[in-house]
Structures are given as structure tokens and as C-alpha cells.
């Protein structure tokens, strides 16, 4: 069982940067692929970014490529989402997710069937 706790959300202006953190406890963190999803009001939850268990493979949605970056620190059991050039349309609740994977299988990083989820952190981009 993995417990995930997000932090770092808040209210920012368009063009600002923000870094979200995801703290994991329980399980062996280095065995889990990590991802960030988001859900805006009235919309379905959508994939944002993901990172393989060893950090060598990352995926990003087209809407955030070049602006958002995911990273992880396996020693600290932390995953991060660095968001630059924020837009109003990035406003959403952001969720951290984890899935145990084998080292060589990164084929499902974008898939939403992660078994472990955090409670979410609100990011609001507004002028």
C-alpha cells in the first residue's frame, strides 16, 4: 500500500511558475512509476506527465510539453511537477499517482489505471 500526499498548489498569475511535490510512504518507492493527472471543473481527469521508476523515461501530454517537467528523488521518496509558463487553462486539481511496474515496461505511463492516488492539490491560474 502506498500513501501519496501532494503539496505546493496555490493561486498564481499567467506566466508564473509553480512546483508541486508528491510525498510517498509505504511500499518501495523505486518500484513505482509516478504520474501527475489533473481535473478541471466539469471535465474528466486527464494525464499530464509521468516518469518511469528509474527516472530515465518521461512522458508528457501535448498541452504541457515544453512547459511542465516531472522528476523524482527515489532516496527521498518524492516526485515533483515543475510547471512553467502557466496558463489559465492549467487551472485544475492536480493528482499524484503511482503504479508498481517492472523496470523495462514503460508502455502504460499515460494510462489512467494507476492504483494509488493522492488527495489532490488545487492550482489556480488567474490574473
Amino acid at each position: 500500500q502506498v500513501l501519496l500526499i501532494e503539496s505546493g498548489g496555490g493561486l498564481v498569475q499567467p506566466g508564473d511558475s509553480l512546483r508541486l511535490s508528491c510525498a510517498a510512504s509505504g511500499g518501495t518507492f523505486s518500484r513505482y512509476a509516478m504520474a501527475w493527472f489533473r481535473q478541471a471543473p466539469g471535465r474528466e481527469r486527464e494525464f499530464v506527465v509521468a516518469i518511469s521508476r528509474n527516472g530515465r523515461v518521461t512522458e508528457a501530454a501535448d498541452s504541457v510539453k515544453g512547459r511542465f517537467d516531472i522528476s523524482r528523488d527515489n532516496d527521498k521518496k518524492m516526485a515533483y511537477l515543475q510547471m512553467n509558463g502557466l496558463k489559465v487553462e492549467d487551472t485544475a486539481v492536480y493528482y499524484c499517482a503511482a503504479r508498481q511496474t517492472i523496470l523495462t515496461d514503460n508502455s502504460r505511463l499515460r494510462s489512467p489505471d494507476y492504483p494509488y492516488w493522492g488527495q489532490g492539490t488545487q492550482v489556480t491560474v488567474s490574473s
Side-chain angles (χ1 to χ4, degrees), residues 26-127:
T28 302
F29 185 70
S30 61
R31 293 179 181 175
Y32 292 84
M34 301 297 296
W36 289 90
F37 288 75
R38 67 186 181 186
Q39 187 167 20
R43 301 187 65 176
E44 294 187 354
R45 189 175 298 185
E46 65 175 357
F47 168 77
V48 180
V49 291
I51 189 167
S52 63
R53 50 185 276 182
N54 61 7
R56 294 180 182 177
V57 178
T58 60
E59 297 273 356
D62 289 343
S63 59
V64 304
K65 278 183 180 177
R67 299 189 299 122
F68 290 14
D69 184 45
I70 186 171
S71 61
R72 65 187 296 158
D73 185 330
N74 284 352
D75 291 335
K76 295 183 178 179
K77 297 185 177 182
M78 296 289 295
Y80 305 98
L81 174 59
Q82 178 66 43
M83 303 184 291
N84 301 319
L86 281 161
K87 304 176 181 179
V88 172
E89 51 264 41
D90 294 320
T91 296
V93 177
Y94 284 72
Y95 297 90
C96 175
R99 178 198 297 125
Q100 188 166 343
T101 65
I102 62 174
L103 188 61
T104 54
D105 182 10
N106 296 306
S107 61
R108 293 166 49 239
L109 288 176
R110 295 173 178 260
S111 173
D113 60 338
Y114 283 78
Y116 304 110
W117 294 82
Q119 82 289 348
T121 185
Q122 176 71 46
V123 173
T124 303
V125 185
S126 175
S127 56

